[in-house]
Amino acid sequence: MAIDAVKAPPARLWGYGCIVASALLFGVAGTAAKMMFVASMPPLVMIAVRAMVSAAVLAVIMLALGRPIRVRRADLPFLGELAVWLTLVNLTFFYAIALTNVALALMLEYTAPMLIVAAGLVLGTHRMNWAVALILAGNAAGCFLLVGAYDPALWSGNALGAAVGMLCAVCFAAYNVRCAHGHRRGLDSWSMTFWPFFLSALFWLLATPAIDYAAVEVTWETVGFVLFIGVFGTVAPYWLYLEGLKTIEPFPATVIGMLDPVFAGVTAFLLLGETFEPPQLAGMVVVCAVIVFLKRNESAVQAIPRPAAEPS
């Protein structure tokens, strides 16, 4: 069955809190990466090492907390699908950055709410109304201003980079929708965080001959960066995001996720002394206003309830 539109307030508040905390960690981790990362790391190496460290850290945490790692055999194909979407999200995002820039890659990734609604309209799981239209328009405008997309220089990247960025948005939307489905079939946030990273790590281990790990100079700074990103920039925010998807649907969750670049901007201002142009500050305000509007119009943005339990 679909996520209940009238969940108990404490449960929904917990869901919102988890997604906001996830965005905060993603944003802070991005700023910390600028401060800590002194060695160049190719995207493929970053993605592979991130998956391996995350899987190892999650295994240790789950064992320490007494959380079961084993899952039903019937759930493994689904978790394998999540691993594919997760790997594609990371792969396309980092390559979009490599081919264009961080700002453009972020803007393209956060077209995911539009894709979720568009797919929902086709599949009959979402409805278009004035509240949804305003949220989508505000989300697009806020993101456009926040990342400085009004600057022509931002679009100086190649068409391939933009295409990879849009593919990232598709994969991110699919990942959100399928994770919400995972909760409906009884999987918990721990399993849906650990197993996709574990399966992704296995894939990258098998692909070792194709990855140039020697291109990275191993220093204490690099080790610290990888561990920090693995724990605070991956494990914690992904688990929090999945925990939020228990009670918050993918569409509003991805809209709230726009706080990621807002938090990144604020921490960059506080820690790195970066400044913002007035349109970028306006973009931050618009993003926050959209989230407040979304919270006040929850019933209008809920997906259409399904009449029966979904098949796996």
Side-chain angles (χ1 to χ4, degrees):
M1 58 188 296
I3 296 174
D4 193 345
V6 289
K7 288 280 186 183
R12 291 192 64 80
L13 287 176
W14 168 252
Y16 281 116
C18 284
I19 295 172
V20 170
S22 171
L24 174 62
L25 286 176
F26 276 130
V28 171
T31 302
K34 294 180 183 179
M35 300 172 62
M36 298 169 59
F37 195 33
V38 295
S40 175
M41 185 175 287
L44 208 56
V45 175
M46 164 58 72
I47 297 163
V49 171
R50 186 186 187 196
M52 295 173 196
V53 170
S54 299
V57 169
L58 275 164
V60 171
I61 293 174
M62 291 174 73
L63 289 172
L65 295 177
R67 291 280 179 175
I69 291 179
R70 293 183 63 181
V71 292
R72 296 175 300 177
R73 184 174 298 178
D75 288 326
L76 286 175
F78 175 78
L79 292 167
E81 180 195 343
L82 281 189
V84 172
W85 289 122
L86 177 69
T87 302
L88 287 174
V89 168
N90 288 307
L91 192 63
T92 52
F93 182 69
F94 279 106
Y95 270 99
I97 291 175
L99 292 169
T100 55
N101 50 67
V102 175
L104 184 56
L106 272 174
M107 189 185 76
L108 293 172
E109 181 184 18
Y110 281 104
T111 59
M114 300 180 190
L115 298 177
I116 290 173
V117 171
L121 291 173
V122 172
L123 298 174
T125 58
H126 283 77
R127 59 175 67 88
M128 179 59 72
N129 53 45
W130 67 273
V132 172
L134 281 176
I135 289 169
L136 290 176
N139 181 78
C143 186
F144 182 88
L145 293 171
L146 177 56
V147 303
Y150 51 82
D151 183 356
L154 185 71
W155 301 91
S156 60
N158 55 52
L160 176 60
V164 173
M166 281 306 303
L167 180 59
C168 177
V170 172
C171 295
F172 185 51
Y175 176 76
N176 273 269
V177 172
R178 296 305 285 161
C179 284
H181 174 74
H183 280 304
R184 290 193 293 270
R185 64 182 284 159
L187 288 165
D188 65 14
S189 302
W190 290 103
S191 297
M192 287 195 291
T193 308
F194 170 73
W195 279 97
F197 274 113
F198 175 72
L199 294 173
S200 181
L202 284 182
F203 169 78
W204 292 119
L205 283 173
L206 293 173
T208 294
I211 303 175
D212 186 15
Y213 291 106
V216 179
E217 181 183 359
V218 180
T219 64
W220 285 114
E221 288 83 359
T222 305
V223 172
F225 167 77
V226 169
L227 290 176
F228 180 87
I229 292 300
V231 177
F232 298 103
T234 307
V235 171
Y238 268 100
W239 182 87
L240 285 165
Y241 192 82
L242 284 168
E243 187 71 5
L245 283 174
K246 279 184 180 179
T247 53
I248 308 300
E249 293 186 338
F251 169 51
T254 50
V255 173
I256 299 168
M258 268 297 299
L259 286 173
D260 171 358
V262 173
F263 285 133
V266 172
T267 52
F269 169 75
L270 295 174
L271 300 178
L272 302 178
E274 293 187 4
T275 57
F276 301 95
E277 298 176 355
Q280 290 177 294
L281 294 174
M284 291 185 183
V285 173
V286 170
V287 167
C288 294
V290 166
I291 293 171
V292 172
F293 178 81
L294 182 151
K295 181 68 177 68
R296 288 175 170 271
N297 293 271
E298 287 183 288
S299 60
V301 303
Q302 295 296 325
I304 298 172
R306 296 175 177 84
E310 296 181 0
S312 61

